[in-house]
Amino acid sequence: MKKIYSIIFAFLFLSIASVAQKAPTGNPANFKVKTCLHSVSYLGVWRGQTQLTVDEFLVKAKELGYEGVMLVAKRPHVSPHDYDKAARAKLKAKIDSLGLTLVGLAGYTDFTAGIDKPGIPNAEIQAAWVGEIAKLASDLGTNMVRIFTGYERPGIPYDKQYAEVVSGLKMAGKLAAEYNVTLAVQNHHDIALHHDAMHWLLKEVDMPNVLAGWDAWSPTLEGLSKGELRESIIKMKPFIINTIAADYVVHPRFNYVNNLTNYKAEQAAMRAVPMGKGIIDYKTWFETLKEIGYQGWVVYEMCEVLDGGGSIENMDKTAKIFLEYMKQF
C-alpha cells in the first residue's frame, strides 16, 4: 500500500512540476524574477484605500506595467461563490486579452479557527474551501493558490493546534492536486511562522504540491538579523515557489501612566511605505534569492494604511515605485 501511495504522489508531482512555478535551482545564474501586482492593493480594505473592481484592477495592472497579477479569492474580488463557469471563462479571456499572467489566487485560510469547538470539523471545512479555490484557479488558467496556516488560540495546547494545521494542509493538498494546483503556504499566521518551524511543518506534510510562499516582512518583524534573514531563505530553499513584497515603517506607541508621570511602551504599529523606504532589508533578501537561483514572481502588495493616503493617484505612484525598485534585480 505504501508503495502504491508513493507511485501516486510521484505521478502527481510530475504533473504539478510541469506547470507550477519553478523551484530554486541553487545556481545564481538562473536567478530571474518577474513583477506581479496583488489585487489586495486595490481591494479597499485599509482605511482610505481606493477600491477597484476586478476588471478595473486588471486594466490598472497593465497600465502600470506589471507582467502578472495575483487575485484575491474572496469577495469583493474573485470568490468562487460569484464566478460560475461563464464568469470564469469571461475573466480568463479578459486576463489573456490584456497580455497578463495570472500568477495565482490568494486564498484566506485559518486551519485552527474553531478548534475550541471540537464538534465542528473546521480543518475539513477549510480544506474543502481550498479545493474550491483550486478548481477556480484551474478554470482561470493558473496553478498556484496562496494560503495561510492558522492563528494560535489561547487555552488550547499548541501541539493540538499544530497537528490541526498539518491535517488541514494534507487534506487541502490532496484536493488541490486534483486540479494540478500547488499550494504556496505563506509565512503569515502564528503557527509555523519562523523558518525553522515552517521547514519542519512542510517536511511533515510531505506533499509535492504543498510548498512555501516565503516573504521578508514576517522575519523582519520577528526581529531576525541580516544573517538570520539570509538563513531563512537558505533553509527554506527546497520549498520556496513564491515571494510577496511590501515595505513598512514602525510607529512606536506609548500609553501614559498617570501615577508614574511616565509612559509605558506598547506594541508598535506598522504603516506601509514605498518599496525601499522602510525597515525591511530587501537588498539582502533578493541577493539571497539570487544565491539560491530563485526563478519566479515577486508579488507586490499595498496591504496597510499607506504613506500619502489611499487615493488612486498615490497608490498608482507607489505601485510604480516598486517597478523602478525591482529594475536593479
Side-chain angles (χ1 to χ4, degrees), residues 154-207:
I156 307 294
Y158 172 78
D159 206 48
K160 180 178 180 180
Q161 299 189 59
Y162 178 93
E164 191 82 347
V165 171
V166 172
S167 175
L169 288 177
K170 285 186 174 182
M171 288 186 286
K174 182 179 178 181
L175 291 171
E178 294 178 10
Y179 303 101
N180 288 337
V181 165
T182 297
L183 303 179
V185 184
Q186 186 182 5
N187 51 332
H188 184 282
H189 286 4
D190 304 337
I191 306 297
L193 184 67
H194 190 273
H195 55 274
D196 287 339
M198 181 65 79
H199 186 269
W200 184 294
L201 175 75
L202 295 179
K203 282 202 307 176
E204 190 169 347
V205 172
D206 192 25
M207 298 184 72

Side-chain angles (χ1 to χ4, degrees), residues 251-257 260 262-269:
H251 281 193
R253 295 172 54 245
F254 297 87
N255 284 339
Y256 185 64
V257 183
L260 297 177
N262 203 345
Y263 291 90
K264 177 184 176 183
E266 300 291 346
Q267 192 78 13

Side-chain angles (χ1 to χ4, degrees), residues 49 63 76 105 120 129 158 161 164 170 233 235 268 297 299 315 323 329:
Q49 185 187 61
E63 289 175 347
L105 295 183
I120 308 300
W129 177 241
Y158 172 78
Q161 299 189 59
E164 191 82 347
K170 285 186 174 182
I233 294 177
K235 181 143 194 175
W297 296 86
V299 183
M315 294 177 69
L323 294 176
F329 304 111

Side-chain angles (χ1 to χ4, degrees), residues 2 12 29-30 39 57 64 98 101 107 121 156 166 171 182 186 199 245 267 279 284 291 311:
K2 186 175 181 181
L12 289 173
N30 296 138
S39 78
F57 166 75
L64 291 172
L98 290 169
T101 298
I156 307 294
V166 172
M171 288 186 286
T182 297
Q186 186 182 5
H199 186 269
Q267 192 78 13
I279 64 170
T284 294
E291 182 181 340
S311 69

Side-chain angles (χ1 to χ4, degrees), residues 125-258:
I125 295 170
Q126 295 272 321
W129 177 241
V130 174
E132 289 297 317
I133 299 173
K135 184 179 188 304
L136 174 63
S138 178
D139 291 343
L140 293 176
T142 186
N143 46 52
M144 185 178 75
V145 171
R146 188 288 318 272
I147 61 173
F148 302 134
T149 57
Y151 289 116
E152 188 170 347
R153 265 67 188 186
I156 307 294
Y158 172 78
D159 206 48
K160 180 178 180 180
Q161 299 189 59
Y162 178 93
E164 191 82 347
V165 171
V166 172
S167 175
L169 288 177
K170 285 186 174 182
M171 288 186 286
K174 182 179 178 181
L175 291 171
E178 294 178 10
Y179 303 101
N180 288 337
V181 165
T182 297
L183 303 179
V185 184
Q186 186 182 5
N187 51 332
H188 184 282
H189 286 4
D190 304 337
I191 306 297
L193 184 67
H194 190 273
H195 55 274
D196 287 339
M198 181 65 79
H199 186 269
W200 184 294
L201 175 75
L202 295 179
K203 282 202 307 176
E204 190 169 347
V205 172
D206 192 25
M207 298 184 72
N209 69 322
V210 181
L211 300 173
W214 199 246
D215 305 344
W217 70 276
S218 290
T220 299
L221 297 186
E222 291 168 46
L224 269 59
S225 66
K226 176 178 180 177
E228 291 168 328
L229 192 68
R230 176 182 176 276
E231 174 58 30
S232 79
I233 294 177
I234 300 299
K235 181 143 194 175
M236 292 299 298
K237 173 182 171 292
F239 300 108
I240 298 175
I241 58 164
N242 191 60
T243 188
I244 297 177
D247 216 346
Y248 299 91
V249 292
V250 178
H251 281 193
R253 295 172 54 245
F254 297 87
N255 284 339
Y256 185 64
V257 183
N258 185 63

Side-chain angles (χ1 to χ4, degrees), residues 52-70:
L52 298 183
T53 66
V54 175
D55 280 1
E56 288 171 339
F57 166 75
L58 294 173
V59 172
K60 176 66 66 179
K62 181 66 176 180
E63 289 175 347
L64 291 172
Y66 281 83
E67 301 168 88
V69 291
M70 176 174 281

